[in-house]
Amino acid sequence: MNGASQGKRILVVVGDDELRTRLRHSLAREGFEVTALRNGGTALKHVDERPDGVVIDVALPDADGRDLCRALRALGCHAPVLFLTTPNAVTDRMTGFGPGGHDYATKPLRMDEVVARLRELLRRAETEAPAQVGTLRLDPVSRALREGSHEVPLTPTEFRLLSALAAQPGAVVRRRDLVRAAWPEGAIVYDNTLDQYVARLRRKLRAVVSDAQITTARGVGYRFG
């Protein structure tokens, strides 16, 4: 048992009875407090329990796991999410990050890998601190971008990307370093994927009426400040 797991509340949403039972037992052995549910509708009723981490199967009996993740976010659940998906389902894995997923594990599952990935997500969530550039503030708890009375929500990927830029205000951050900071290891991130996310962040910065801007260092990366 790992002390870092002790008392951490984990919500598991998996339709397959055998797999759900395996996950519940394996995580409980590691010291997690586990609530294991079969479908998304039931999971939404447990969101007030404020889990520290969530494990969601993309293929649920009553919903797409990514849609459940979106719904949890809308209800104020900002816990890190580990998706379970099938081998070689690149589309499933990549589209999971948009709704707010942080990482994925592929079936058939190795329980030691699930535990390791979950612990890393929890560790990362605990070490994230609010970032501030001038009067602009990034809040890791609400995943929000704030400037005065203006606020806009960020997806987890957007938050990690902007945090990596905000950590070095005025400096050019290389593209590969931004990808490493914002996406899980092993994720396939195309050049235009990074550019699209930067474009989204620029729109959100305009929405909070911020003077801070993201500028392009062509062929190298981006600068924030």
Side-chain angles (χ1 to χ4, degrees):
M1 184 182 297
N2 187 304
S5 308
Q6 195 69 36
K8 294 293 185 182
R9 299 183 302 276
I10 306 299
L11 175 62
V12 173
V13 192
V14 173
D16 182 274
D17 293 339
E18 181 180 351
L19 180 56
R20 187 174 64 256
T21 299
R22 286 180 58 212
L23 282 164
R24 184 177 67 245
H25 289 167
S26 295
L27 294 176
R29 278 198 302 269
E30 297 297 326
F32 294 108
E33 295 181 7
V34 185
T35 299
L37 306 172
R38 185 175 185 274
N39 57 57
T42 306
L44 293 176
K45 298 175 182 177
H46 284 73
V47 70
D48 289 340
E49 296 178 6
R50 299 295 179 192
D52 297 297
V54 185
V55 179
I56 300 176
D57 195 343
V58 169
L60 293 174
D62 63 339
D64 186 305
R66 291 159 294 187
D67 292 335
L68 172 60
C69 186
R70 289 187 182 95
L72 290 171
R73 294 289 183 246
L75 290 172
C77 176
H78 301 291
V81 172
L82 177 69
F83 279 118
L84 309 182
T85 186
T86 54
N88 304 316
V90 175
T91 301
D92 279 356
R93 297 197 296 263
M94 289 306 299
T95 57
F97 301 135
H102 295 71
D103 200 359
Y104 60 85
T106 56
K107 305 172 189 174
L109 296 179
R110 287 179 47 193
M111 292 300 153
D112 58 343
E113 179 188 0
V114 171
V115 169
R117 288 184 178 276
L118 195 53
R119 282 184 181 145
E120 173 58 21
L121 290 179
L122 295 171
R123 183 202 63 77
R124 190 190 304 169
E126 287 179 347
T127 56
E128 286 179 341
Q132 190 147 346
V133 177
T135 57
L136 186 71
R137 181 180 174 87
L138 287 168
D139 189 331
V141 176
S142 63
R143 304 282 185 192
L145 175 63
R146 294 192 177 95
E147 176 84 30
S149 61
H150 299 281
E151 176 179 318
V152 294
L154 300 174
T155 68
T157 301
E158 289 171 347
F159 181 86
R160 291 192 294 268
L161 182 56
L162 191 54
S163 294
L165 288 164
Q168 302 181 61
V172 175
V173 185
R174 293 184 175 275
R175 297 177 67 92
R176 66 171 179 268
D177 293 331
L178 291 172
V179 169
R180 288 171 182 162
W183 280 271
E185 182 180 354
I188 300 173
V189 183
Y190 300 102
D191 284 345
N192 66 338
T193 302
L194 176 60
D195 297 334
Q196 289 168 5
Y197 269 85
V198 169
R200 286 163 54 173
L201 287 174
R202 284 170 169 159
R203 289 195 294 271
K204 292 191 174 186
L205 285 167
R206 290 195 294 270
V208 295
V209 199
S210 174
D211 292 332
Q213 296 182 351
I214 301 174
T215 56
T216 303
R218 194 168 299 279
V220 181
Y222 291 97
R223 180 189 295 108
F224 181 62

